Amino acid sequence: MAADDILWRQLLTLSRRPDLTLQAQLRGAIAQAVLDRRLPPGAELPSSRRLAEILGISRNTVIQAYEQLTQEGFISAHSRSKHMVDPAALENAARAAGVRPDEPGRRPDWTARLTSRPSRTRHVMKPTDWYNYRFPFVYGQPDPTLFPITEWREVVQLSLRSVAIRDWAGDRVDADDPLLIEQLQKRILPRRGIWVSPDQILVTVGAQQALYLAASLLLKPERTVGIEQPGYPDIRNLCRQFGARIQPLPMDHHGLKPTGSLAECDMLFVQPSHQNPTTVTMPLQRRQELLQAASAHDLVIVEDDYDSELTFVGEATPALKAIDREDRVIYVGSLSKTLAPGLRMGYVVAAPEFITEARAMRRLTARHPPANNQRAVALFLQLGHHDAAIKKLIAAYRERADAIGEGLRTHLPEFEFRLPAGGSALWAEGPADVSMNAVAAAGAPQGLLIDPGAVFFDHPVPPENFLRFGYSSITVDRIDPGIQLLARLVRAERHGGRQAS
């Protein structure tokens, strides 16, 4: 049987009710498919002879059903053997039922029923067609030329062998792929100085789900969360969803400052490796000081180890979790940034008591991350492909970061910045009288895509003279021309917004 035949049999399943003739069953199946929009206006139906063969019924039954449906306005005849869904079928059906087709009916008042409006939060915005921009200084998107296509194809093919399919195809309920847990435990985490047992690891749908699990299990309205200022907007948004109070914490060139404000907090969210958005790397001494302060004030720390493996020079500083002796750090990692953001593959490492509840909470929302992706990523790690991919990314990102630094020194010397020690972005501060929001709006029609920095500040009137250059998706040859355009737009903004091109 042809594939189309199978589809028609599934679409027009006869009810087999003894009180209905086959003709009535067929009419009902076609009419319902039209009303459900599974058969859209203008869709062509099989000929009466063909549909009879597909359904195993008499051709006369199909002919009579088609004639009746034509009279009722569901389908229209275009030749002796050609029938199509009438473009006015829904209107005809509504008129027969005695209602107006455009009548909305008694809809719920969704505005009143919604108890939360997360769509109204301030967050980083980027166009979905960012790849069509000439100068995409966009953060968190991949460069397809750097993706390890051959290696990924290999592990996907391996994961599609019958023995592998048997392992991952079933519903794991709340369990993770044991091979992936093993690779995280033995290959990924030791590089960060973390040595844990499997019961302290949970795989998540990206780092974002890990952060959500931590917030949902640990926050309530009377608790206060310390967050870096400037910092990742969706951390703030997430904490506020659970009613927590936000305590913005100051930063310097060594990252978050362990000031007296920590005494007011119950929990901290920090990004010590390559802070978002400033890209600051917290040195070991500051990390030790932060842990001492957390111990003194009995704080729990959520460590988002952002871009930690993308270190340009020397070895990465050990994670907070690596030097935590009191089990108060919840460590969040991700494999998405070094493979592809669309894979959504993260993990969390924490005390067994937390992991038990996080696993149960994950089961209630997503059960588990896609098991086929877990197996493919596990094989990618096991075969050493991840190590090679990291080296390739570091070389490319370091070259791009240097090119941005050179472009800023040449074309925008009034901007202040520090070359990042790693990661995939550079943070810069422009003159106080420049609105990067306005510059970004003027640059978009000319193919320039940047992240204005105001959204990263938790303040009613945030400064607008900061911006973040993402360089994970822009090639080196586009960087200098892009910064030249940016420089023209900045100067136009400083001189009253005159158009630059």
Side-chain angles (χ1 to χ4, degrees), residues 291 319-330:
L291 282 173
L320 277 175
K321 183 67 176 174
I323 54 177
D324 170 28
R325 299 292 176 261
E326 298 178 347
D327 232 3
R328 65 177 62 254
V329 174
I330 297 171

Side-chain angles (χ1 to χ4, degrees), residues 202-240:
L202 180 72
V203 180
T204 58
V205 184
Q208 192 67 35
Q209 188 189 36
L211 298 173
Y212 178 88
L213 293 173
S216 64
L217 291 171
L218 299 173
L219 294 183
K220 52 185 178 180
E222 61 266 28
R223 289 188 174 168
T224 300
V225 184
I227 296 178
E228 298 152 322
Q229 172 87 313
Y232 178 37
D234 274 346
I235 287 289
R236 299 194 304 263
N237 298 333
L238 184 56
C239 293
R240 287 186 170 125

Side-chain angles (χ1 to χ4, degrees), residues 78 102 104 108 128 141 174 181 219 252 268 306 312 409 481 493:
H78 291 261
D102 58 345
T128 55
Q141 296 294 355
D174 64 0
I181 294 296
L219 294 183
D252 59 19
L268 300 179
Y306 210 64
F312 296 160
R409 283 188 288 266
E493 161 66 13

Side-chain angles (χ1 to χ4, degrees), residues 233-271:
D234 274 346
I235 287 289
R236 299 194 304 263
N237 298 333
L238 184 56
C239 293
R240 287 186 170 125
Q241 287 297 306
F242 295 96
R245 294 187 292 265
I246 304 297
Q247 175 62 55
L249 298 174
M251 294 182 59
D252 59 19
H253 293 310
H254 295 301
L256 187 146
K257 297 168 65 175
T259 65
S261 300
L262 294 182
E264 304 173 20
C265 301
D266 301 289
M267 181 174 168
L268 300 179
F269 277 98
V270 295
Q271 296 175 317

Side-chain angles (χ1 to χ4, degrees), residues 352-405:
E353 299 92 333
F354 175 86
I355 293 297
T356 296
E357 301 308 323
R359 187 181 302 280
M361 180 63 76
R362 187 192 68 178
R363 186 192 77 243
L364 295 176
T365 57
R367 294 180 81 79
H368 57 77
N372 60 320
N373 283 354
Q374 289 194 53
R375 176 52 55 94
V377 171
L379 292 168
F380 193 82
L381 296 173
Q382 185 182 48
L383 296 176
H385 298 324
H386 185 253
D387 301 340
I390 290 292
K391 291 178 181 178
K392 186 176 180 180
L393 287 177
I394 288 175
Y397 289 178
R398 180 165 47 200
E399 182 183 15
R400 295 174 186 184
D402 289 342
I404 292 175

Side-chain angles (χ1 to χ4, degrees), residues 79-102:
S79 67
R80 183 176 179 85
S81 61
K82 185 177 180 179
H83 290 80
M84 301 176 68
V85 176
D86 195 307
L90 295 177
E91 183 178 347
N92 295 337
R95 188 179 298 108
V99 299
R100 289 169 48 196
D102 58 345

Side-chain angles (χ1 to χ4, degrees), residues 327-359:
D327 232 3
R328 65 177 62 254
V329 174
I330 297 171
Y331 176 90
V332 174
S334 173
L335 295 167
S336 300
K337 292 293 186 295
T338 51
L339 277 174
L343 281 174
R344 311 307 307 149
M345 192 63 62
Y347 52 94
V348 58
V349 180
E353 299 92 333
F354 175 86
I355 293 297
T356 296
E357 301 308 323
R359 187 181 302 280

